[in-house]
């Protein structure tokens, strides 16, 4: 296969990637966009394999079989509640793959060239691939630990943490310089320097993510996704593969854009997310809200919903934990059969990864036209008869508007407290993932429906059917 055909097929793959990525931006086209991107990747992989004259096909077959088994098991065994953790792991594996590509390419260089004869730019790109891949790998593992609560979800801070990060970055810059413009002054074994670079990059990934609190995990996930794309792009330069460069650049740039969107949705700067230690404070952060919550039974909640003309459902991570998305869709069907208008308001950072609630609601076959963005519902929310908050906390916290001492002050939230009545489905009065009290629970127009969200929702459905 000549270079013209190969590059032509790579261009076709890139076009598939671009159109697939574009379609992912719309809920009703996301599945088709994902399929188109997968086809583009298939074309790229087949082209890359066929274009190589020397291949160890047995290792490729082993890799394909192993990857297929892992993917099938992940699709079948990983619950939707664990999707954020799985995304974090996938980001980490992407970083680890790039690290290994850079490492193996360095092996090839040491065989083909002497250290001093090797191209300095090529060595720098290899080191860049190793650094980004290593930091992405360990950083993603820490994010996985926080999301799965195998590590404390709060921000873990320690004295001099910024100094440690700066020192690690300086060491990595120094390592890159020794492989580039200063390599003639290198007095140690270059392979030892590669090992040291890998270790420092992995440590940087840990120290970079560990001080970030659980409430900022959606931003961290999108940022690590961007890092994995940049690592793949660098790996593409290392092995001179054009389509890997394009795919990595697309993932990296879209991840940065998504990170910026997440930060705007929280009314915070990326530097504030990464370095402020948000979430290190306890639930006492901000004003201490006092009052008495007003519990409501399933039967009484049914009577309220039965009389409502329009209902707004606001999902959060608690819906994912209870796996209540199918039950809430069934409740929506019952409300619509009763003549009630039903819509779903999705906050950009609801859940523990970008698009978490959209994925759950799409799985439950919630009609796309019922999914509303925060900016669409807030202007008319006073006209909502009942807002059902199912497992959401920080994204509906009115303290973001009213309490200047709150850590989330200024963050755009869904103003459910302005609806005529609010029904909050929640297991207890504990604060959300960010550990911040919510005065919404004590409002005069709020009723607390305590218990498992799925069981409570199924109880409401039973009342309608009965």
């Amino acid at each position: 296969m000549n270079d013209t055909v190969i590059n032509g097929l790579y261009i076709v793959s890139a076009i598939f990637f671009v159109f697939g990525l574009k379609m992912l931006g719309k809920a009703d086209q996301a599945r088709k966009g994902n399929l188109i991107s997968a086809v583009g990747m298939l074309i790229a992989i087949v082209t890359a394999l066929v274009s190589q004259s020397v291949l160890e096909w047995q290792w490729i077959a082993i890799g394909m079989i192993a990857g297929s088994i892992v993917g099938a098991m992940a699709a079948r065994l990983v619950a939707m509640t664990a999707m954020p953790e799985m995304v974090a792991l996938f980001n980490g594996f992407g970083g680890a793959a790039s690290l290994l590509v850079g490492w193996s390419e360095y092996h090839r260089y040491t065989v083909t060239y002497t250290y001093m004869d090797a191209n300095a730019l090529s060595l720098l790109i290899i080191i860049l691939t190793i650094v980004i891949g290593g930091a992405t790998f360990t950083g993603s593992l820490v994010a996985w630990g926080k999301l799965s609560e195998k590590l404390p979800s709060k921000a873990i801070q320690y004295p001099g943490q910024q100094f440690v990060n700066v020192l690690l970055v300086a060491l990595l810059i120094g390592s890159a310089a020794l492989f580039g413009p200063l390599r003639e002054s290198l007095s140690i074994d270059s392979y030892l320097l590669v090992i040291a670079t890998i270790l420092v990059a992995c440590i940087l990934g840990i120290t970079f993510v560990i001080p970030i609190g659980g409430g900022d995990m959606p931003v961290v996930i999108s940022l690590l996704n961007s890092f994995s794309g940049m690592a793949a792009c660098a790996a593409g330069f290392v092995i001179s593969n054009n389509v890997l460069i394009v795919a990595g650049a697309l993932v990296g740039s879209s991840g940065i854009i998504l990170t910026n969107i997440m930060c705007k949705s929280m009314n915070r700067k990326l530097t504030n997310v990464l370095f402020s230690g948000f979430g290190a404070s306890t639930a006492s952060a901000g004003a201490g809200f006092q009052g008495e919550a007003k519990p409501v039974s399933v039967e009484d909640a049914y009577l309220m919903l039965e009389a409502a003309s329009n209902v707004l459902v606001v999902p959060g991570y608690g819906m994912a934990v209870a796996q209540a998305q199918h039950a809430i869709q069934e409740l929506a069907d019952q409300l619509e059969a009763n003549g009630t208008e039903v819509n779903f308001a999705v906050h950009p950072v609801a859940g523990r990864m970008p698009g978490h609630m959209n994925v759950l609601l799409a799985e439950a076959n919630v009609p796309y036209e019922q999914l509303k963005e925060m900016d669409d519902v807030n202007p008319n929310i006073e006209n909502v008869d009942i807002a059902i908050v199912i497992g959401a906390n920080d994204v509906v916290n009115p303290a973001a508007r009213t309490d200047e001492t709150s850590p989330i002050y200024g963050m755009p939230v869904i103003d459910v407290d302005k609806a005529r009545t609010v029904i909050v489905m929640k297991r207890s009065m504990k604060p959300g993932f960010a550990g911040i009290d919510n005065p919404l629970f004590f409002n005069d127009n709020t009723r607390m429906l305590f218990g498992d969200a799925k069981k409570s929702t199924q109880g409401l459905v039973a009342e309608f059917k009965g």
Side-chain angles (χ1 to χ4, degrees):
M1 187 181 293
N2 60 49
D3 291 342
T4 302
V5 175
I6 292 171
N7 289 325
L9 289 172
Y10 282 162
I11 291 173
V12 172
S13 298
I15 292 173
F16 273 64
F17 294 154
V18 171
F19 277 95
L21 190 62
K22 177 67 175 178
M23 295 174 73
L24 288 174
K26 297 182 180 179
D28 58 340
Q29 298 180 354
R31 291 184 179 179
K32 186 182 296 184
N34 194 40
L35 179 61
I36 289 175
S37 297
V39 171
M41 182 57 69
L42 177 62
I43 295 173
I45 292 173
V46 172
T47 303
L49 293 177
V50 174
S51 64
Q52 301 299 315
S53 58
V54 180
L55 287 175
E56 298 288 345
W57 287 99
Q58 66 272 24
W59 293 110
I60 293 173
I62 291 172
M64 291 178 65
I65 293 171
S68 299
I69 292 173
V70 171
M73 292 178 62
R76 291 180 176 274
L77 301 180
V78 177
M80 291 300 295
T81 54
M83 193 61 64
E85 296 98 287
M86 188 174 75
V87 170
L89 280 179
F90 281 174
N91 287 339
F93 291 156
S98 298
L99 185 154
L100 293 174
V101 167
W103 197 353
S104 64
E105 191 68 7
Y106 182 79
H107 274 290
R108 189 180 71 84
Y109 256 66
T110 58
V111 172
T112 307
Y113 307 98
T114 64
Y115 176 66
M116 292 302 177
D117 292 336
N119 183 274
L121 179 59
S122 298
L123 288 175
L124 283 174
I125 294 175
I126 289 173
I127 294 303
L128 181 64
T129 304
I130 290 174
V131 168
I132 299 177
T136 302
F137 175 58
T138 53
S140 297
L141 289 183
V142 173
W144 168 80
K146 284 177 174 283
L147 290 167
S148 61
E149 299 185 353
K150 290 178 172 57
L151 293 175
S153 61
K154 68 178 182 179
I156 301 175
Q157 295 183 300
Y158 52 90
Q161 68 182 37
Q162 302 303 341
F163 173 78
V164 170
N165 287 341
V166 170
L167 177 62
L168 293 173
V169 172
L171 289 174
L172 292 173
I173 293 175
S175 173
L178 287 174
F179 277 98
L182 300 180
R183 60 179 173 159
E184 293 183 359
S185 62
L186 185 65
S187 59
I188 64 172
D189 185 352
S190 62
Y191 193 77
L192 290 178
L193 184 59
V194 171
I195 300 298
T197 301
I198 293 173
L199 292 176
V200 173
C202 291
I203 294 172
L204 178 62
I206 296 172
T207 59
F208 179 72
V209 178
I210 203 77
I212 303 175
D216 288 329
M217 278 301 109
V219 176
V220 175
I221 291 295
S222 60
L223 184 62
L224 289 172
N225 180 62
S226 175
F227 285 173
S228 68
M230 289 188 287
C233 181
F237 279 104
V238 167
I239 63 176
S240 300
N241 186 284
N242 294 334
V243 76
L244 186 55
I245 295 172
V246 172
L250 286 172
V251 173
S253 58
S254 61
I256 287 293
I257 293 171
L258 182 58
T259 301
N260 185 51
I261 293 173
M262 296 291 104
C263 290
K264 285 185 177 180
S265 300
M266 301 170 70
N267 194 36
R268 299 171 64 199
K269 295 181 178 179
L270 181 59
T271 53
N272 178 263
V273 172
L274 299 179
F275 306 122
S276 71
F278 178 79
S281 56
T282 63
S284 60
F289 301 107
Q290 302 293 329
E292 183 177 351
K294 304 171 185 64
V296 66
S297 65
V298 170
E299 292 77 12
D300 290 338
Y302 156 71
L303 294 175
M304 297 164 63
L305 290 169
E306 196 272 338
S309 61
N310 61 81
V311 170
L312 182 69
V313 181
V314 183
Y317 184 67
M319 184 183 75
V321 172
Q323 299 186 40
Q325 60 270 23
H326 294 282
I328 201 70
Q329 170 57 17
E330 190 175 2
L331 175 61
D333 290 339
Q334 294 295 324
L335 286 166
E336 289 181 324
N338 192 51
T340 304
E341 178 186 354
V342 181
N343 289 298
F344 292 77
V346 180
H347 194 283
V349 296
R352 297 189 182 179
M353 71 173 186
H356 195 183
M357 295 301 104
N358 300 79
V359 171
L360 291 173
L361 296 175
E363 184 204 16
N365 295 317
V366 172
Y368 298 122
E369 59 271 13
Q370 289 185 352
L371 301 180
K372 307 296 183 183
E373 296 183 2
M374 174 179 59
D375 294 336
D376 295 328
V377 299
N378 274 346
N380 302 310
I381 203 162
E382 292 89 350
N383 299 322
V384 172
D385 289 333
I386 297 178
I388 302 176
V389 178
I390 176 167
N393 198 326
D394 301 319
V395 298
V396 294
N397 193 333
R401 299 192 320 266
T402 60
D403 180 14
E404 295 184 4
T405 65
S406 174
I408 62 171
Y409 179 73
M411 169 182 166
V413 295
I414 300 175
D415 301 330
V416 295
D417 57 303
K418 297 181 180 180
R420 296 187 178 105
T421 304
V422 183
I423 297 177
V424 178
M425 294 186 184
K426 194 170 171 60
R427 293 178 183 271
S428 67
M429 294 294 291
K430 290 182 179 180
F433 203 47
I436 302 170
D437 285 332
N438 193 339
L440 172 70
F441 303 154
F442 308 110
N443 280 6
D444 292 336
N445 65 334
T446 300
R447 300 295 182 268
M448 303 295 298
L449 183 53
F450 291 111
D452 180 82
K454 183 177 181 180
K455 292 181 179 178
S456 297
T457 305
Q458 289 175 336
L460 291 170
V461 171
E463 290 291 327
F464 272 100
K465 291 182 177 180

